[in-house]
Amino acid sequence: MAPDCAVEGAVAGPVSAEGIRGALTPNAPLAKLVWFKTGGAADWLFEPADLDDLREFLLRLDGNLPVMALGLGSNMIVRDGGVPGVVVRLGKAFAKVEAKGDHVLECGGGASGILVSSTARDAGIAGLEFLRGIPGTVGGFVRMNGGAYGREVADVLIDCDVVMPGGELVRLPAADLRYTYRHSALPEGAVVVAARLQGTPGDPAEIGAEMDRIAKAREESQPLRTKTGGSTFKNPEGDKAWRLVDAAGCRGLRMGGAQVSEKHANFLINTGDATSADIEGLGEEVRRRVYAHSGVMLEWEIQRVGRP
């Protein structure tokens, strides 16, 4: 067995780094990579050079450490104690989007919702405009069945390519993901590297107008220019999370540097000096108050990861 190669500052890597072309960083700060701008470090951050590099790295890792994929960090609280194991962040090599025949879009796992929807618009592919309203990457919204403005990924996904924790590349049809509201059956530690989305024929001008409408609606209703994490709680059946939060008197509620947004009650914001514990603690207090007021226990939509 090859010895572990030295990685930055003579720290032994989790696998032999010989031939691995991506960047492997120990004790990597994650706060700058997530929208809330809070949280601790990853034990290891791996940014693969390309698909083969990712597969080789995970093959060598062989499931010996937990693996978590990180996209744009929009819908996530990284706890203050950091994330154990390896965080995988997909870069430019995974951010390509290409129109194929039959109004299909092939998207890299690191491509943003804005890039996907604008590529679809330029190719005259309708039905993917809603992705303009999801602040994340293909990998994240395939895993979470991301949705906005009445549509969700389950409506458009044909299949996706994932790299399993042991390095195996697998193509999963949408049915295998067993989608429900903001949830999939994608295995823990699997990294979505590509997806194919089905659209319909459309007029680029009309598609663009719908995207503009979505962007304007988000700007008017959501606190986009703050350190936030997107929608905090899932909408309960037949109701809206923001309405329940508002009815329980939580709009503007604060804990440390965290606050329930005055603009949209289902958004938490970092007012400047919040810790992840402040944000998560505020969310739990909101859940408690909503339950006391309405008898509904809100479910988190934001992912909370790592050590407290």
Side-chain angles (χ1 to χ4, degrees), residues 113-114 117 129-136 147-149 214-215 218 222:
I114 290 176
S117 56
E129 297 89 344
F130 74 100
L131 297 174
R132 173 67 181 81
I134 304 179
Y149 302 94
I214 288 171
R218 286 188 73 226
Q222 299 174 12

Side-chain angles (χ1 to χ4, degrees), residues 8-9 141 152 186 197 202 232 243 272 290:
E8 276 191 30
F141 53 68
E152 57 188 13
L186 199 66
L197 307 177
T232 306
R243 193 197 68 77
V290 168

Side-chain angles (χ1 to χ4, degrees), residues 71-72 90 94-97 105-117 131 134-146 153 157 159-162 177 179 186 191-197:
L72 294 184
L90 303 182
F94 298 88
K96 298 181 178 70
V97 181
L105 219 55
E106 189 157 69
C107 314
S112 70
I114 290 176
L115 178 61
V116 174
S117 56
L131 297 174
I134 304 179
T137 58
V138 168
F141 53 68
V142 165
R143 174 176 284 280
M144 298 298 294
N145 191 18
V153 169
L157 183 72
D159 55 30
C160 61
D161 296 338
V162 304
L177 299 183
Y179 275 137
L186 199 66
V191 180
V192 178
V193 292
R196 277 151 295 279
L197 307 177

Side-chain angles (χ1 to χ4, degrees), residues 55-92:
R55 292 189 65 191
E56 180 61 29
F57 179 84
L58 292 179
L59 174 67
R60 294 183 193 185
L61 199 60
D62 196 27
N64 288 326
L65 287 176
V67 172
M68 184 193 90
L70 175 65
L72 294 184
S74 56
N75 205 232
M76 179 177 285
I77 295 171
V78 172
R79 293 181 174 125
D80 299 308
V83 179
V86 179
V87 171
V88 173
R89 189 162 183 251
L90 303 182
K92 282 185 180 175

